Amino acid sequence: MLISSFGQKGSSGLSHYVLPQFTGGDILMKNGQKVKAWLNYNSLSEQMIFDENGKKLAITENQLKLIDTIYINNRKFCRTDNTFLELLFQSESNLYAEFKCRLEAPSNTSGYGGDSQTGTSTSFSSIEDRGIQYQLSLPDGYKAKPYTIYWLKRNGKMTSFKNINQLMKLFSDKKQLFKSYKKNHELDYNNQESIIKLIKYLEAN
């Protein structure tokens, strides 16, 4: 079962988690019940993890079916299928963030004293002990490379976009406005506030 009271706070410095530490939050169930827990989102396994007396556990698929929304530090995570998207902006168009993570494999020392990269990235399934994903650190030598995929719900349809040009296609009816804004403002896909300001502008004009 999900824990119903706060336990021990987790440690900080979690490179493959969305939050820097496990934080107290509220799990809103579909029946209206609220459950308190220490929570964090693992962008590597793409699962919401809770801390039960120092033990890191993933919310199971059966538990997910009972959950509506999770609130952590004024941030809202909406359940979508078997994962969670963070609601960043809500208006005529809703903007969501899907948090993901790649692993950079460790380097091996080559025969001539240099380093040979075993691979630029790898899926977590390639690591022998999958249970390590719920620990506070990655296996030795591995580096987390977090990234975000945005989702826009517009006219009742959810569509993902991975760059500014893909976002422009979702506002094809406001193409000239989009181009004008892009010409006068610096747009950064990796800056959530930059994306939100653009969408607010397009909706207001």
Side-chain angles (χ1 to χ4, degrees), residues 5-161:
S5 61
F6 287 107
Q8 180 178 337
K9 182 182 287 189
S11 301
S12 60
L14 312 181
S15 61
H16 52 303
Y17 282 80
V18 170
L19 302 173
Q21 60 187 10
F22 277 75
T23 304
D26 292 305
I27 302 172
L28 177 63
M29 312 301 287
K30 287 183 177 179
N31 63 6
Q33 178 187 4
K34 281 189 177 181
V35 179
K36 292 186 177 297
W38 289 106
L39 299 156
N40 207 335
Y41 188 80
N42 188 317
S43 59
L44 191 56
S45 67
E46 298 179 37
Q47 292 175 299
M48 189 67 73
I49 310 298
F50 64 98
D51 184 321
E52 186 177 80
N53 298 321
K55 187 176 181 180
K56 308 300 183 293
L57 302 170
I59 293 177
T60 66
E61 288 188 22
N62 288 334
Q63 292 167 340
L64 279 172
K65 296 174 183 177
L66 306 176
I67 294 174
D68 181 84
T69 310
I70 290 180
Y71 298 89
I72 311 173
N73 261 6
N74 298 317
R75 299 174 68 168
K76 183 177 181 178
F77 294 83
C78 304
R79 187 183 64 82
T80 303
D81 297 326
N82 288 327
T83 188
F84 288 90
L85 304 179
E86 182 182 2
L87 178 62
L88 302 178
F89 174 69
Q90 186 172 20
S91 185
E92 294 176 16
S93 302
N94 292 352
L95 179 67
Y96 299 86
E98 180 180 7
F99 299 105
K100 291 178 172 289
C101 186
R102 288 185 291 267
L103 280 187
E104 187 177 274
S107 300
N108 289 334
T109 302
S110 68
Y112 294 94
D115 284 341
S116 172
Q117 195 74 17
T118 58
T120 56
S121 64
T122 181
S123 65
F124 204 77
S125 60
S126 66
I127 297 177
E128 190 171 327
D129 182 7
R130 288 183 59 84
I132 197 75
Q133 63 188 322
Y134 305 125
Q135 303 305 313
L136 299 183
S137 60
L138 295 171
D140 289 342
Y142 281 85
K143 295 181 180 179
K145 299 292 182 181
Y147 64 99
T148 302
I149 294 176
Y150 293 106
W151 288 81
L152 187 73
K153 186 174 184 180
R154 188 166 189 249
N155 300 323
K157 183 180 179 181
M158 283 278 284
T159 309
S160 64
F161 62 95

